[in-house]
Amino acid sequence: MLYKVVELDRNLLRLFSCVFAIALLSPTAALLSSGTTGGSPDPDWVFRPISLMVSIIVLYWSSLKIGLVSAVILAIPAPLLFDVITRASQGNTWKYAASVWVSLGLLVLVHRMNVAMKVLAVGTIVIMSVLNDTRGIIAMAATGVLVEILSRTGRTRVYRIAASLIGASVLAVASYQLAIAGALGSGIQRTMILQTQEGPMSLLRTARPESGGNFALVLSDPFRFIIDDRVTADQAAVIQNSFSQVGRDPNSLYVQSGVLKSAELHSVTADLWLHLGFAGLLLSVIFGLFFAYLGFRALSSHRMLAGAVTFVSLRGVWDLLFSPVSDLRFWPLYFLVGLAFLASERKLRASTG
């Protein structure tokens, strides 16, 4: 399967080889570090990157056999059902279970259809998100469709990139104003007003109070080679301080049981760094570059899959910065869409000489 995937492009072989090498080095580093720290790493963390890569390879290989849309349609129902069942107790099934699966599935399903169908798909996503106070999905799905429409309006790459960036910026400002005004629902309005009391720039910091502590932790020792499954007392103090700075309870049940006791920093990058040390941070950088590259290619492309790829790149970068590590369950689908898009770009270049 690996050979079938990488024979189209040797750059994919280099990407997978780097990730596998880093992942395989993790057990060695873990054994060396456990003798000095007194801790033993969770095997689940040691093999998580390998599991992710295997899932991506199998899913992409299957898409080469049955087509992208068929692969996505077959890949979504089981995890979607599992999420709905296991996360229904959190009180917002759309936000915590269905939104990503359904949104990406719709964007892929309509990527060969006309503009009216794309607008209808994103309209459905927006309505469901408004009804369930889900802001991020609105922004990512709407931006994806807008970029796909605008990126096909010009012949030159510079024009397509400029049109997409200007259009996305206008959409961002308009969405912010609509949310503050209550046009996207009273729940979103209340949250936006609460999180922007100190100005628009406080929005992310207040919505993700862990981010300040995570950033400080990673910068304090980016090249750490200690692999552990605990949050130390010093790290806990930094994290709790980040909550206090934005007026959130540093001793809440979420902080004490989730962030500190379960060592869940609510950032894929920070969690990879905490659990796998420098190897985890290096993996995060590789993933970040991949999603950034996808985003740039989507902006400069006139291919029909650009909308779904834009959604994937935005969501991937968001996960790296702000999402719990459990959101890695979406990543095989992200990579599937991204790799399918890059393959179609290669075929287009080959056919045009």
Side-chain angles (χ1 to χ4, degrees), residues 33 36-37 221 224-228 273-278:
S33 66
T36 58
T37 64
D221 190 12
R224 66 195 288 270
F225 289 96
I226 297 175
I227 298 181
D228 209 343
W273 168 84
L274 176 68
H275 292 275
L276 297 178
F278 178 70

Side-chain angles (χ1 to χ4, degrees), residues 51-339:
S51 174
L52 178 63
M53 286 297 102
V54 171
S55 299
I56 292 167
I57 291 169
V58 171
L59 195 55
Y60 184 55
W61 179 82
S62 69
S63 74
L64 296 177
K65 297 295 183 181
I66 64 176
L68 175 67
V69 174
S70 298
V72 169
I73 291 175
L74 290 176
I76 287 178
L80 172 59
L81 180 61
F82 178 79
D83 271 8
V84 170
I85 294 173
T86 59
R87 296 174 181 273
S89 60
Q90 293 180 299
N92 193 332
T93 304
W94 169 260
K95 181 175 183 178
Y96 296 111
S99 58
V100 175
W101 301 115
V102 173
S103 299
L104 184 54
L106 279 177
L107 291 178
V108 171
L109 188 64
V110 303
H111 81 276
R112 292 186 179 277
M113 299 182 184
N114 56 34
V115 173
M117 291 303 297
K118 291 181 172 65
V119 172
L120 177 62
V122 79
T124 302
I125 296 169
V126 169
I127 291 172
M128 288 299 298
S129 298
V130 167
L131 293 175
N132 292 277
D133 300 339
T134 308
R135 296 166 296 167
I137 293 296
I138 295 175
M140 294 172 191
T143 301
V145 169
L146 180 66
V147 164
E148 181 169 329
I149 294 173
L150 293 177
S151 66
R152 297 171 63 190
T153 59
R155 294 183 177 274
T156 67
R157 175 176 293 185
V158 172
Y159 180 89
R160 291 195 295 267
I161 293 176
S164 299
L165 289 176
I166 292 172
S169 300
V170 172
L171 177 64
V173 173
S175 299
Y176 173 78
Q177 296 298 331
L178 288 172
I180 291 292
L184 299 181
S186 58
I188 292 178
Q189 181 187 35
R190 286 193 300 271
T191 303
M192 291 290 291
I193 292 176
L194 177 66
Q195 294 177 351
T196 56
Q197 288 179 343
E198 299 178 11
M201 295 305 293
S202 70
L203 180 60
L204 279 178
R205 183 70 178 89
T206 309
R208 290 292 185 272
E210 308 94 335
S211 59
N214 292 341
F215 188 70
L217 286 176
V218 175
L219 281 184
S220 67
D221 190 12
F223 299 104
R224 66 195 288 270
F225 289 96
I226 297 175
I227 298 181
D228 209 343
D229 292 299
R230 301 167 299 174
V231 175
T232 67
D234 291 339
Q235 291 171 340
V238 173
I239 294 169
Q240 288 177 306
N241 183 57
S242 71
F243 279 83
S244 299
Q245 288 179 351
V246 292
R248 302 284 287 274
D249 183 6
N251 297 306
S252 66
L253 180 63
Y254 165 69
V255 175
Q256 294 298 323
S257 297
V259 178
L260 302 183
K261 184 178 180 180
S262 301
E264 170 58 77
L265 300 186
H266 215 285
S267 161
V268 169
T269 297
D271 280 311
L272 285 173
W273 168 84
L274 176 68
H275 292 275
L276 297 178
F278 178 70
L281 186 59
L282 192 56
L283 281 176
S284 179
V285 171
I286 293 174
F287 292 143
L289 290 175
F290 177 76
F291 288 126
Y293 178 69
L294 278 183
F296 172 78
R297 292 299 296 270
L299 289 176
S300 61
S301 172
H302 58 273
R303 303 294 287 171
M304 290 181 291
L305 199 58
V309 173
T310 301
F311 178 90
V312 161
S313 60
L314 290 173
R315 181 72 194 194
V317 172
W318 177 270
D319 287 348
L320 285 169
L321 296 175
F322 306 116
S323 292
V325 76
S326 59
D327 280 8
L328 284 175
R329 68 192 187 280
F330 302 123
W331 280 32
L333 207 58
Y334 296 166
F335 272 81
L336 169 63
V337 173
L339 293 176

